[in-house]
Amino acid sequence: MPSILWFRRDLRRHDNPALVAALDAARDDGDGTVVPLFVLDPRLCNAAGDTRRAWLSRSLHALDATLGGALVVRHGDPTLLVPEVAAAAGAASVHVAADFGPYGATRDRAVENVLAASGRRLERTGSPYAVAPGRVVKGDGTAYRVYTPFYRAWVEHGWRPPAADPDAWPDWRMDPSGPLACDGIPDAPDVDLPPVGEAAALERWDAFRIDGLAAYGELRDRADLAGTSSLSAHLRWGEIHPRTLLAELDGSPSHTVFRKEIAWREFYADVLHRAPESAHTWLDPRFAAMEHDDGPGADDRFEAWRLGRTGFPFVDAGMRQLLAEGWMHNRVRMVTASFLVKDLHLPWQRGARWFMTALRDGDLASNQQGWQWVAGSGTDAAPYFRIFNPVTQGLRFDPDGDYVRRYVPELRGLGGRSAHEPWTQGQLAPDYPDRLVDHAEERDESLARYTAIKNP
Ligand SMILES: Cc1cc2nc3c(=O)[nH]c(=O)nc-3n(C[C@H](O)[C@H](O)[C@H](O)COP(=O)(O)OP(=O)(O)OC[C@H]3O[C@@H](n4cnc5c(N)ncnc54)[C@H](O)[C@@H]3O)c2cc1C
């Protein structure tokens, strides 16, 4: 009997414990054939924008190529299709990496129940994290709500070394006709993306490890420089596992800073796993009472933000980078998110939804908790009164204005730092919009709204 390997967020062959488990099962139960399956679930695909759909499509092509063209892609509801493929293949077990997201965990339980009704098993081996969400707990068994102690306990807990490749790869052979027929990998929207897939992820990691990691601690906040790894979309699709990265880090300061960033991803997955409702609602419930703007004026401001036309160059550069590339530097994510919540007084959920649509690394845990952090309602909430100033942030993290000029063509005529303050040279940037709001006034307004919920 063959086994099924159901790929979801683990689109790779190497360091893949679920693959090893699928192969072991296939050898125990039969001739070692593993049927690789991916189900294109409309519930997830419909929420993704062009860049994420393009990434997925290219990643599936890359995976299929490494599997000798054997990947079975089906379109539709996994609770129907996974059991159907398992039955058609005559498989006793379906192997997955555990999904800890709210939708994925519920879906997997449903699939597990349907499989069990016909005597088949859903086997979970590994997860997209070095340490599975829910594992790192305080001495009294409760969860950490603050990052730094979580980080210490996470390091202490430790993680397994990368999974060894099987001695021999599975026999992916299968009958391409009949019930295992494949719906095919969907066409990719025509979007510019860096190289996608497992080989590209490993190359990116190698290049960053050799050329970027030593300076990471120093440069990672600079929006104008390529000082970060750009691995987020590869990690999001599991083209590389965080364990693969962690295994090559030592105790040097820069490696430690990078390990801490990987740990933020793990922490946020843990927070979402324990509080699935925080994908939509304020983790700190006091913030549900916060006054937010709505109506046509608020809608217009949201559109100006989304399209990068707020008149604040650092914010606009970030939002246009997101539109153009489906990616944005972390510092700029913080500043643009803060601008939406604290200068435009819109709820974080609205911005988070747009980020999730547009980001190629869109990940529910990191995105929603990142937004909640900025909004002051999440874990480790920065004090609400520390409101990012979009101009001084730009001057600090894009000191020569290069990042702004790269994404905002109207400002290319302004040299050096003046690109961050075009209003001082009005006639030199006639096509660039006026500032949408007065930052100092909106800062006061935000603080007043916060005081109202703090002292109701
Ligand atoms: C409002 C907001 C929304 C965000 N949305 C997402 C998202 O949808 N998907 C996503 O992967 N990251 C998100 N982040 C986190 C962070 O911005 C990106 O992970 C990072 O910019 C990706 O670039 P990189 O791979 O070059 O990061 P590097 O600096 O090279 O970091 C290495 C890896 O560590 C992880 N990491 C780094 N910083 C964070 C962080 N603050 N939170 C969680 N993980 C982190 C990522 O997996 C990243 O690839 C968000 C941050 C904010 C403030």
Side-chain angles (χ1 to χ4, degrees):
M1 267 189 286
S3 64
I4 308 283
L5 176 57
W6 177 18
F7 285 98
R8 294 96 64 86
R9 294 186 51 163
D10 45 359
L11 306 182
R12 67 180 184 282
R13 225 163 95 139
H14 297 274
D15 187 5
N16 189 335
L19 189 161
V20 177
L23 180 57
D24 285 347
R27 285 187 184 141
D28 288 349
D29 297 342
D31 67 354
T33 300
V34 176
V35 175
L37 169 69
F38 186 89
V39 179
L40 206 68
D41 179 349
R43 277 283 302 272
L44 297 178
C45 292
N46 293 348
D50 278 359
T51 40
R52 207 153 71 254
R53 284 189 289 118
W55 192 289
L56 173 61
S57 170
R58 287 176 210 180
S59 194
L60 289 175
H61 277 294
L63 179 68
D64 189 36
T66 69
L67 303 177
L71 185 64
V72 176
V73 177
R74 300 293 304 269
H75 304 180
D77 179 355
T79 35
L80 301 174
L81 294 177
V82 175
E84 191 181 300
V85 172
S93 54
V94 174
H95 294 263
V96 294
D99 191 329
F100 288 89
Y103 173 71
T106 309
R107 173 205 58 207
D108 286 356
R109 281 193 294 275
V111 171
E112 187 170 29
N113 289 337
V114 181
L115 285 171
S118 59
R120 298 189 166 86
R121 306 182 307 276
L122 183 76
E123 300 274 3
R124 298 172 180 81
T125 312
S127 78
Y129 304 99
V131 181
R135 285 263 178 83
V136 176
V137 287
K138 293 187 202 162
D140 63 3
T142 59
Y144 287 96
R145 292 193 55 111
V146 178
Y147 167 79
T148 303
F150 171 90
Y151 173 73
R152 280 194 220 105
W154 176 78
V155 169
E156 198 168 307
H157 180 285
W159 39 85
R160 290 173 200 272
D165 287 341
D167 292 336
W169 289 106
D171 181 353
W172 304 106
R173 258 184 312 109
M174 47 156 199
D175 180 2
S177 59
L180 281 184
C182 181
D183 294 335
I185 298 172
D187 287 341
D190 185 17
V191 174
D192 264 352
L193 288 175
V196 171
E198 179 176 14
L202 291 167
E203 263 173 43
R204 178 89 279 278
W205 167 234
D206 273 351
F208 177 71
R209 190 169 45 77
I210 294 161
D211 296 330
L213 197 49
Y216 178 71
E218 200 188 320
L219 301 182
R220 70 189 187 91
D221 262 329
R222 285 281 296 269
D224 54 331
L225 306 175
T228 66
S229 70
S230 293
L231 282 167
S232 51
H234 295 299
L235 284 164
R236 189 254 174 266
W237 291 111
E239 296 168 357
I240 194 165
H241 195 277
R243 201 177 30 227
T244 311
L245 313 180
L246 291 165
E248 296 194 273
L249 299 180
D250 60 30
S252 65
S254 262
H255 286 217
T256 302
V257 177
F258 191 71
R259 187 184 298 107
K260 286 184 171 169
E261 295 307 314
I262 299 292
W264 274 108
R265 178 176 180 272
E266 306 252 328
F267 177 55
Y268 282 156
D270 190 82
V271 172
L272 182 64
H273 168 61
R274 294 169 193 279
E277 70 285 356
S278 67
H280 307 291
T281 188
W282 292 264
L283 197 60
D284 178 343
R286 287 177 311 160
F287 279 79
M290 181 78 127
E291 186 193 339
H292 290 108
D293 289 359
D294 56 14
D299 293 347
D300 289 348
R301 287 176 177 200
F302 178 79
E303 275 306 284
W305 174 82
R306 192 177 72 82
L307 299 173
R309 300 198 56 79
T310 68
F312 288 87
F314 200 48
V315 172
D316 291 344
M319 298 309 295
R320 294 192 202 185
Q321 180 179 22
L322 180 59
L323 278 169
E325 299 173 5
W327 191 82
M328 199 196 292
H329 186 278
N330 180 58
R331 170 61 48 178
V332 197
R333 292 188 204 204
M334 293 196 280
V335 173
T336 52
S338 172
F339 190 83
L340 187 82
V341 174
K342 295 180 182 174
D343 286 80
L344 302 185
H345 315 297
L346 297 175
W348 67 263
Q349 292 90 335
R350 216 170 155 174
R353 212 172 306 131
W354 170 239
F355 268 35
M356 275 303 282
T357 302
L359 280 169
R360 62 186 187 228
D361 62 21
D363 169 82
L364 195 69
S366 295
N367 189 56
Q368 312 304 84
Q369 305 304 332
W371 272 91
Q372 296 241 30
W373 180 87
V374 170
S377 58
T379 57
D380 294 78
Y384 192 86
F385 54 81
R386 238 186 256 153
I387 294 178
F388 285 122
N389 178 318
V391 178
T392 51
Q393 286 284 310
L395 289 167
R396 197 162 151 210
F397 297 110
D398 175 32
D400 302 319
D402 292 336
Y403 176 73
V404 159
R405 277 187 295 276
R406 196 177 311 145
Y407 292 104
V408 187
E410 304 97 289
L411 300 177
R412 283 190 188 143
L414 301 185
R417 298 163 70 85
S418 62
H420 285 288
E421 295 170 297
W423 45 88
T424 59
Q425 336 227 341
Q427 70 282 24
L428 292 177
D431 300 329
Y432 187 64
D434 284 338
R435 280 167 289 177
L436 191 60
V437 292
D438 179 313
H439 174 67
E441 276 173 24
E442 303 309 337
R443 182 178 185 282
D444 290 347
E445 174 63 23
S446 254
L447 293 176
R449 294 187 192 198
Y450 177 60
T451 307
I453 62 163
K454 212 173 65 169
N455 313 310

Coordinates of all heavy atoms in Angstrom, one line a residue, residues 216 228-232 235 258 261-262 264-265 268 327-328 330 333-334 337 355 359 361-363 366-367 370-371, ligand 1:
Y216 N 24.3 41.6 10.0 CA 22.8 41.7 10.2 C 22.4 42.6 11.4 O 21.6 43.4 11.2 CB 22.3 40.3 10.4 CG 20.8 40.2 10.6 CD1 19.9 40.4 9.5 CD2 20.3 39.8 11.8 CE1 18.6 40.3 9.7 CE2 18.9 39.7 12.0 CZ 18.1 40.0 11.0 OH 16.7 39.9 11.2
T228 N 18.8 42.4 5.3 CA 18.1 41.3 5.9 C 18.1 40.1 5.0 O 18.5 40.2 3.8 CB 16.6 41.6 6.3 OG1 15.9 41.9 5.0 CG2 16.6 42.9 7.1
S229 N 17.6 39.0 5.4 CA 17.8 37.7 4.7 C 16.8 37.5 3.5 O 17.1 36.7 2.6 CB 17.6 36.5 5.6 OG 16.2 36.4 6.0
S230 N 15.7 38.2 3.5 CA 14.6 38.0 2.5 C 14.2 36.6 2.4 O 13.9 36.1 1.3 CB 15.1 38.5 1.1 OG 15.3 39.8 1.1
L231 N 14.2 35.9 3.5 CA 13.8 34.5 3.6 C 12.3 34.3 3.9 O 11.8 33.2 3.9 CB 14.7 33.7 4.6 CG 16.1 33.4 4.1 CD1 16.9 32.9 5.2 CD2 16.0 32.3 3.0
S232 N 11.6 35.4 4.3 CA 10.3 35.3 4.9 C 9.3 34.5 4.0 O 8.6 33.6 4.5 CB 9.7 36.6 5.2 OG 9.8 37.5 4.2
L235 N 10.2 30.9 4.0 CA 9.8 30.2 5.3 C 8.3 30.0 5.3 O 7.8 29.0 5.8 CB 10.3 31.1 6.5 CG 11.7 31.0 6.8 CD1 12.1 32.2 7.7 CD2 12.1 29.7 7.5
F258 N 19.9 37.2 14.8 CA 19.1 36.5 13.7 C 18.3 35.4 14.4 O 17.1 35.3 14.1 CB 20.0 36.0 12.7 CG 19.3 35.5 11.5 CD1 18.7 36.4 10.6 CD2 19.2 34.1 11.2 CE1 18.0 35.9 9.5 CE2 18.5 33.6 10.1 CZ 17.9 34.5 9.2
E261 N 15.2 36.9 15.8 CA 14.1 37.2 14.8 C 13.4 35.9 14.4 O 12.1 36.0 14.3 CB 14.7 37.8 13.6 CG 15.4 39.2 13.9 CD 14.5 40.2 14.6 OE1 13.3 40.3 14.2 OE2 14.9 40.8 15.6
I262 N 14.1 34.8 14.3 CA 13.4 33.6 14.0 C 12.5 33.2 15.2 O 11.3 32.7 15.0 CB 14.4 32.4 13.8 CG1 15.4 32.7 12.6 CG2 13.7 31.0 13.7 CD1 14.7 32.6 11.3
W264 N 10.8 35.3 17.0 CA 9.6 36.1 16.9 C 8.5 35.4 16.1 O 7.4 35.3 16.5 CB 9.8 37.5 16.3 CG 10.3 38.5 17.2 CD1 11.6 39.1 17.3 CD2 9.5 39.2 18.2 NE1 11.6 40.0 18.3 CE2 10.4 40.1 18.9 CE3 8.2 39.1 18.6 CZ2 10.0 41.0 19.9 CZ3 7.8 40.0 19.7 CH2 8.6 40.9 20.3
R265 N 9.0 34.8 15.0 CA 8.0 34.0 14.2 C 7.4 32.8 15.1 O 6.2 32.6 15.0 CB 8.8 33.5 13.0 CG 8.0 32.6 12.1 CD 8.8 32.2 10.8 NE 8.1 31.4 9.9 CZ 8.1 30.1 10.0 NH1 8.7 29.4 10.9 NH2 7.4 29.4 9.1
Y268 N 5.0 34.3 17.8 CA 3.7 34.7 17.3 C 2.9 33.5 16.9 O 1.6 33.6 17.1 CB 3.9 35.7 16.1 CG 4.3 37.1 16.5 CD1 5.0 37.9 15.7 CD2 4.0 37.6 17.8 CE1 5.3 39.2 16.0 CE2 4.3 38.9 18.2 CZ 4.9 39.7 17.3 OH 5.3 41.0 17.7
W327 N 6.3 42.8 -0.9 CA 7.2 42.7 0.2 C 7.5 44.1 0.8 O 7.4 45.1 0.0 CB 8.5 42.0 -0.2 CG 9.4 41.6 1.0 CD1 9.2 40.5 1.7 CD2 10.5 42.3 1.5 NE1 10.2 40.4 2.7 CE2 11.0 41.6 2.6 CE3 11.1 43.5 1.2 CZ2 12.1 42.0 3.4 CZ3 12.2 43.9 2.0 CH2 12.7 43.2 3.0
M328 N 7.8 44.2 2.0 CA 8.2 45.5 2.6 C 9.2 45.2 3.7 O 9.0 44.2 4.4 CB 6.9 46.2 3.2 CG 7.1 47.7 3.4 SD 5.8 48.3 4.5 CE 4.4 48.2 3.5
N330 N 10.9 45.3 7.3 CA 10.2 45.3 8.6 C 10.1 46.6 9.3 O 9.0 46.9 9.8 CB 11.0 44.3 9.6 CG 10.4 44.2 10.9 OD1 9.3 43.8 11.0 ND2 11.1 44.7 12.0
R333 N 7.3 48.3 7.6 CA 6.0 47.7 8.0 C 5.5 48.3 9.3 O 4.3 48.6 9.5 CB 6.1 46.2 8.2 CG 6.4 45.4 6.9 CD 6.3 43.9 7.1 NE 7.1 43.3 6.1 CZ 6.9 42.0 5.6 NH1 6.0 41.3 6.1 NH2 7.7 41.5 4.7
M334 N 6.4 48.5 10.3 CA 6.0 49.1 11.5 C 5.6 50.5 11.4 O 4.6 51.0 12.0 CB 7.2 49.1 12.5 CG 7.6 47.7 12.9 SD 8.6 47.6 14.4 CE 10.2 48.0 13.7
A337 N 2.2 50.7 9.4 CA 1.1 50.2 10.2 C 0.7 51.2 11.3 O -0.4 51.5 11.5 CB 1.5 48.9 10.8
F355 N -2.4 43.9 4.1 CA -1.1 43.3 4.1 C -1.2 41.8 3.7 O -0.4 41.3 2.9 CB -0.5 43.4 5.5 CG 0.4 44.7 5.7 CD1 0.1 45.9 5.1 CD2 1.5 44.6 6.5 CE1 0.8 47.0 5.3 CE2 2.3 45.7 6.7 CZ 2.0 46.9 6.1
L359 N 1.0 40.8 0.6 CA 2.4 40.3 1.0 C 2.6 38.9 0.4 O 1.8 38.0 0.5 CB 2.5 40.2 2.5 CG 2.9 41.5 3.3 CD1 2.7 41.2 4.8 CD2 4.2 42.0 3.0
D361 N 4.9 37.1 1.7 CA 5.2 36.3 2.9 C 4.0 36.3 3.8 O 4.1 35.9 5.0 CB 6.4 36.7 3.6 CG 6.4 38.2 4.1 OD1 5.3 38.7 4.3 OD2 7.4 38.8 4.3
G362 N 2.8 36.8 3.4 CA 1.6 36.9 4.2 C 1.4 35.7 5.1 O 1.1 34.6 4.6
D363 N 1.5 35.9 6.4 CA 1.4 34.8 7.4 C 0.5 35.3 8.5 O 0.8 36.3 9.1 CB 2.8 34.4 7.9 CG 2.8 33.5 9.1 OD1 2.7 32.3 8.8 OD2 2.9 34.0 10.2
S366 N 2.3 36.0 12.1 CA 3.3 37.1 12.1 C 2.6 38.4 11.8 O 2.9 39.5 12.3 CB 4.4 36.9 11.2 OG 5.2 35.7 11.6
N367 N 1.7 38.3 10.8 CA 1.1 39.6 10.3 C 0.1 40.1 11.4 O 0.2 41.3 11.8 CB 0.3 39.3 9.0 CG -0.2 40.6 8.4 OD1 0.6 41.5 8.1 ND2 -1.5 40.7 8.2
G370 N 2.0 41.1 14.5 CA 2.8 42.3 14.2 C 1.9 43.6 14.2 O 2.3 44.6 14.8
W371 N 0.7 43.5 13.6 CA -0.2 44.6 13.6 C -0.7 44.9 15.0 O -0.8 46.1 15.4 CB -1.4 44.4 12.7 CG -1.1 44.8 11.3 CD1 -0.6 44.0 10.3 CD2 -1.4 46.1 10.7 NE1 -0.5 44.7 9.1 CE2 -1.0 46.0 9.4 CE3 -1.9 47.3 11.2 CZ2 -1.0 47.1 8.5 CZ3 -2.0 48.4 10.3 CH2 -1.6 48.3 9.0
Ligands
LIG1 C1 2.8 45.0 10.7 C2 3.7 43.9 10.4 C3 3.2 42.8 9.6 C4 4.1 41.7 9.4 N1 3.6 40.7 8.6 C5 4.4 39.6 8.3 C6 3.9 38.5 7.6 O1 2.8 38.5 7.1 N2 4.8 37.5 7.3 C7 6.0 37.4 7.9 O2 6.8 36.5 7.6 N3 6.5 38.4 8.6 C8 5.7 39.5 8.9 N4 6.2 40.6 9.6 C9 7.5 40.4 10.3 C10 8.7 41.0 9.5 O3 8.4 42.3 9.0 C11 9.1 40.1 8.3 O4 9.2 38.8 8.7 C12 10.4 40.5 7.7 O5 10.4 41.9 7.3 C13 10.8 39.6 6.5 O6 12.0 40.0 5.9 P1 13.3 39.1 6.0 O7 13.0 37.7 5.7 O8 14.4 39.8 5.3 O9 13.6 39.2 7.6 P2 14.9 38.9 8.5 O10 15.2 40.2 9.2 O11 16.0 38.4 7.6 O12 14.4 37.9 9.5 C14 14.6 36.5 9.4 C15 13.2 35.8 9.6 O13 12.8 36.0 10.9 C16 11.4 36.1 11.0 N5 11.1 37.5 11.5 C17 11.8 38.6 11.5 N6 11.2 39.6 12.1 C18 10.0 39.1 12.5 C19 8.9 39.7 13.2 N7 8.9 40.9 13.7 N8 7.8 38.9 13.4 C20 7.8 37.6 13.0 N9 8.8 37.0 12.4 C21 9.9 37.8 12.1 C22 10.9 36.0 9.5 O14 10.5 34.7 9.3 C23 12.1 36.4 8.7 O15 12.1 35.8 7.4 C24 5.4 41.7 9.9 C25 5.8 42.7 10.7 C26 5.0 43.8 11.0 C27 5.5 44.9 11.8

